[in-house]
Amino acid sequence: IIVAIVVMGPEELPRLLRLCGRYAGRARRIIADFQASIEEATHLDELKEAKEEFNKIGKFELGSDQTEDMKQTSPSPEEPDDGK
């Protein structure tokens, strides 16, 4: 700051500091926007991976007729199979 006072003079220093503040604010906004876009892209990739996993799981689901067959052959939860 002392160098700025000597080089620019005390009259120009407030204007110079305001200008530096503006540029610092712009730089912060640019960085925040960049971080937000990276986070959004990462989130979209995670969603895409989750969707692919759900689709893989969905391919292994049993059809309704196979589900009915399994229900008929498995013991019901109310009647435990005690081996008699």
Side-chain angles (χ1 to χ4, degrees):
I1 294 179
I2 295 174
V3 174
I5 292 173
V6 172
V7 173
M8 297 297 294
E11 297 85 24
E12 293 293 318
L13 187 60
R15 187 181 66 78
L16 178 65
L17 292 176
R18 279 193 300 272
L19 185 64
C20 289
R22 279 190 212 132
Y23 284 125
R26 288 179 186 170
R28 281 190 219 114
R29 282 190 294 279
I30 290 170
I31 291 169
D33 289 343
F34 179 73
Q35 286 175 336
S37 65
I38 294 296
E39 288 175 5
E40 182 180 352
T42 302
H43 182 67
L44 290 176
D45 286 342
E46 290 171 357
L47 289 176
K48 184 178 176 183
E49 289 173 9
K51 180 182 174 187
E52 289 172 0
E53 286 295 318
F54 283 125
N55 286 339
K56 286 179 186 177
I57 292 170
K59 290 179 182 177
F60 294 112
E61 286 183 3
L62 298 174
S64 60
D65 57 330
Q66 293 170 334
T67 305
E68 288 299 320
D69 290 343
M70 288 181 65
K71 286 180 182 177
Q72 292 172 358
T73 58
S74 64
S76 63
E78 297 91 26
E79 301 174 21
D81 187 18
D82 56 358
K84 291 185 184 178

